[in-house]
Amino acid sequence: MKHICPNCEKITNVQHIKTDEDITIKGKRINVPVEYYRCLECGGEFDDPKSNHDPLAIAYKEYRRSHATGPV
Ligand SMILES: [Zn+2]
């Protein structure tokens, strides 16, 4: 598929990557799904600018949910 690569600053062939990643918050590892693009021209990886998918925000939400009881 074609997408604008912020590194190349032009429309290039990119690969849509869907995977998951461990994000560590205060020593607790949280597995969150991540989506991004990889430019096949330069190999650079970048987020979909149209998506507001934020793995860090998801990880924080998970962290708060698992620590919902008791004070922080
Ligand atoms: Zn590129």
Side-chain angles (χ1 to χ4, degrees):
M1 70 188 287
K2 297 271 188 178
H3 207 288
I4 297 167
C5 170
N7 294 332
C8 302
E9 294 183 330
K10 62 181 180 182
I11 295 171
T12 62
N13 283 305
V14 298
Q15 195 179 4
H16 188 207
I17 314 251
K18 269 185 152 181
T19 181
D20 45 47
E21 206 168 83
D22 281 336
I23 292 178
T24 305
I25 292 174
K26 296 173 188 171
K28 186 179 164 63
R29 265 195 8 201
I30 295 157
N31 191 256
V32 294
V34 292
E35 283 182 45
Y36 58 91
Y37 289 102
R38 177 180 291 141
C39 172
L40 299 180
E41 302 261 333
C42 69
E45 293 172 352
F46 57 94
D47 294 325
D48 183 355
K50 287 195 296 292
S51 152
N52 48 22
H53 185 82
D54 186 349
L56 202 60
I58 294 169
Y60 267 103
K61 215 163 88 178
E62 277 298 310
Y63 179 84
R64 278 199 302 268
R65 204 172 63 180
S66 62
H67 288 72
T69 54
V72 178

